[in-house]
Amino acid sequence: MINKTITAAVALSLVLALPGVAMAQTADEPAPDRTVAEQTMDSQRLNIVNRIKERAQQAIDRRFETIDRLRTALNERGHATAGHKADLFVDLNEAEAGLRTLSREIQAATTVDQLRVLVPKIATDFRIYLVVAPKIREVIAGDTAVWVVNNPGTKAYERISAAVDRANQAGYDVTEAQAALQEMQTHMSKAEAYAGPVPNQVIDLGASDWENPAKALLRQGRDKLLQARDELRAARDSARAAVQALRDAIHDGSTDLAA
């Protein structure tokens, strides 16, 4: 009897030692606790993901602020045409909506690999600073320069010219004033020629146009606008010279008449 019991115990031990039985025995047991090192690594990964998300959102928020400033510029600064304003507001609205969608995708990401794909899109898919903002500023500047040249309320040329004509009819020598007026008109015409084409050359540029052709077109537009600015400044100086020449002519003529 004792021998049979010993034999049965040995057999049972051998059976329990088999892999399949061992797995069956432990299947219902709780898994061993994860190591401290594994927990620490997961925590570090989570911290990295959260930091990336935070910085990405900061970058997106900065672009939202820039978009708001550009809207304000279109509404309150310069004299962009109604058609150009409408087109640019569409661009800004689409950029804002796209950035909001991207923000949600970034916040939903759970791995660094996902963020590695999503985060660069903040810059590459929208180009707020390289394309959108520069083109809007150039459109406003170009339209404003043309407005300054042609708006009746700012046409100093006509007012000065009328005063010169009256002085001329009164017998004053207005030769210098007339020459200064001619220079003023020339500078204004050049300013319009430089600035006028710029808005239409850049207004359709989008993120996908960087860097070719957007980089070159925006640089060309900026250069043309700087030339237009210089011509408008020269026109202002010529206007002042014409006014001074007219005053001198009237003063000298009055003195001659008194003599």
Side-chain angles (χ1 to χ4, degrees), residues 2-149:
I2 295 174
N3 289 337
K4 290 181 178 180
T5 302
I6 293 174
T7 301
V10 171
L12 180 59
S13 298
L14 291 174
V15 171
L16 293 176
L18 293 175
V21 176
M23 291 175 63
Q25 180 188 25
T26 60
D28 295 330
E29 295 179 359
D33 291 339
R34 297 168 65 242
T35 66
V36 174
E38 290 174 331
Q39 294 175 356
T40 301
M41 186 173 296
D42 285 349
S43 178
Q44 290 174 343
R45 289 195 189 101
L46 181 59
N47 288 338
I48 291 171
V49 167
N50 287 337
R51 285 200 300 271
I52 294 173
K53 288 182 179 181
E54 181 180 359
R55 292 177 182 176
Q57 189 59 47
Q58 290 172 351
I60 291 173
D61 288 342
R62 285 195 297 271
R63 284 160 175 79
F64 286 152
E65 293 171 359
T66 299
I67 288 171
D68 286 342
R69 287 195 295 270
L70 291 170
R71 286 196 181 103
T72 299
L74 280 170
N75 280 323
E76 300 179 4
R77 301 175 190 171
H79 297 274
T81 67
H84 289 163
K85 277 187 179 181
D87 290 344
L88 293 174
F89 276 126
V90 169
D91 289 345
L92 292 174
N93 292 340
E94 289 179 349
E96 182 177 27
L99 283 167
R100 292 195 185 282
T101 298
L102 180 58
S103 174
R104 290 192 291 269
E105 293 174 350
I106 289 172
Q107 296 307 316
T110 57
T111 68
V112 173
D113 287 340
Q114 290 173 329
L115 293 171
R116 188 176 290 115
V117 173
L118 291 171
V119 172
K121 292 182 178 182
I122 298 171
T124 60
D125 285 16
F126 301 97
R127 301 294 187 192
I128 300 299
Y129 299 115
L130 290 176
V131 176
V132 177
K135 84 169 184 178
I136 288 178
R137 295 188 185 106
E138 290 189 10
V139 169
I140 293 173
D143 283 348
T144 299
V146 173
W147 180 88
V148 167
V149 171

Side-chain angles (χ1 to χ4, degrees), residues 153-204:
T154 62
K155 282 196 170 182
Y157 176 85
E158 280 76 4
R159 295 195 298 273
I160 299 172
S161 180
V164 169
D165 288 343
R166 289 194 298 270
N168 186 43
Q169 292 170 5
Y172 295 103
D173 183 2
V174 294
T175 303
E176 290 186 13
Q178 289 172 333
L181 269 177
Q182 183 58 50
E183 289 179 357
M184 178 184 177
Q185 185 63 53
T186 299
H187 289 308
M188 291 173 66
S189 296
K190 287 183 178 180
E192 184 174 12
Y194 284 132
V198 172
N200 289 332
Q201 289 174 354
V202 302
I203 197 168
D204 291 329

